Amino acid sequence: MKKSIITQKIIAKAFKDLMQSNAYHQISVSDIMQTAKIRRQTFYNYFQNQEELLSWIFENDFAELINDNLDYYGWQNELLLLLRYLDENQIFYQKIFVIDKNFQQFFLIQWENLLDKVIFDQEKKSDYHWSDLEKSFICRYNAAAICAITKESIIRGNSLEKLYSQIVNLLLAQIKIFES
């Protein structure tokens, strides 16, 4: 049976909606499916449990935001879209950072993917050829810093979109230093 991405997204949205006003451990599969207006058994056609649903949400949302769009948008637009998405889903991610310790590693990897795109885009525009060591360093260094600052902003309830110009300016300045 082919799994419907639409049904998965409806279930995920219902779960996110419930997370706005409930603690993770207070939400049952029945609650999710009642909110989604889909029969309970359908949940198990797509997910084994809520942890699998949570993993699917991370992978699907970030894949759509970062990986699927990297070739269509410039990295600056991609960064802005990601920050807006995190702002819109801030309460959900506040709770996720508390309950899912693995999410921080996943979050860091997503920032590394985006920063790899930054270097790739920049390399196409300049005569400078980045070594693998340089690429790895700037991606890992900045991903760790951006991950930490965005996590802190999410937990504190601060707007991430306000970080946009600071992140862009910092990245462009660092790239310019490497290319000099």
Side-chain angles (χ1 to χ4, degrees), residues 72-100:
Y72 301 107
Y73 300 114
W75 66 268
Q76 293 179 359
N77 288 333
E78 197 66 34
L79 172 63
L80 186 57
L81 288 172
L82 177 59
L83 295 174
R84 285 179 178 163
Y85 165 80
L86 292 169
D87 274 342
E88 291 166 8
N89 293 278
Q90 197 168 65
I91 293 171
F92 176 75
Y93 285 104
Q94 284 172 348
K95 293 178 179 183
I96 296 308
F97 274 119
V98 172
I99 62 165
D100 190 337

Side-chain angles (χ1 to χ4, degrees), residues 3-170:
K3 293 185 177 183
S4 166
I5 190 77
I6 294 169
T7 302
Q8 289 171 302
K9 286 184 175 204
I10 291 168
I11 294 169
K13 182 177 180 337
F15 180 65
K16 284 182 182 178
D17 289 347
L18 287 167
M19 286 280 291
Q20 296 295 313
S21 57
N22 299 289
Y24 173 78
H25 298 294
Q26 294 174 332
I27 300 170
S28 68
V29 170
S30 294
D31 295 333
I32 296 167
M33 299 310 285
Q34 187 174 23
T35 301
K37 295 182 173 70
I38 301 173
R39 64 183 193 90
R40 184 179 184 277
Q41 186 55 40
T42 303
F43 180 92
Y44 298 103
N45 293 339
Y46 298 94
F47 309 104
Q48 291 181 2
N49 53 40
Q50 288 171 247
E51 290 78 21
E52 189 173 301
L53 169 59
L54 199 54
S55 293
W56 185 87
I57 290 170
F58 300 155
E59 292 170 17
N60 182 70
D61 286 0
F62 283 91
E64 283 182 4
L65 280 165
I66 298 174
N67 303 331
D68 293 352
N69 292 324
L70 282 177
D71 294 332
Y72 301 107
Y73 300 114
W75 66 268
Q76 293 179 359
N77 288 333
E78 197 66 34
L79 172 63
L80 186 57
L81 288 172
L82 177 59
L83 295 174
R84 285 179 178 163
Y85 165 80
L86 292 169
D87 274 342
E88 291 166 8
N89 293 278
Q90 197 168 65
I91 293 171
F92 176 75
Y93 285 104
Q94 284 172 348
K95 293 178 179 183
I96 296 308
F97 274 119
V98 172
I99 62 165
D100 190 337
K101 302 302 177 202
N102 294 326
F103 177 69
Q104 184 158 340
Q105 183 62 31
F106 175 83
F107 195 56
L108 176 63
I109 291 168
Q110 299 313 305
W111 281 113
E112 288 175 358
N113 290 343
L114 181 56
L115 292 171
D116 191 50
K117 172 64 172 168
V118 171
I119 300 302
F120 179 78
D121 284 355
Q122 192 61 31
E123 200 168 32
K124 289 191 304 188
K125 295 177 187 175
S126 75
D127 295 330
Y128 186 77
H129 179 71
W130 293 71
S131 72
D132 289 341
L133 184 61
E134 289 171 328
K135 286 179 192 177
S136 176
F137 174 78
I138 200 164
C139 287
R140 286 186 13 246
Y141 175 83
N142 284 296
I146 295 169
C147 182
I149 202 107
T150 54
K151 176 186 174 187
E152 180 183 325
S153 293
I154 289 168
I155 290 171
R156 290 183 178 191
N158 297 334
S159 170
L160 282 99
E161 191 173 346
K162 290 180 180 179
L163 297 173
Y164 172 76
S165 61
Q166 294 167 326
I167 293 171
V168 168
N169 291 337
L170 175 72

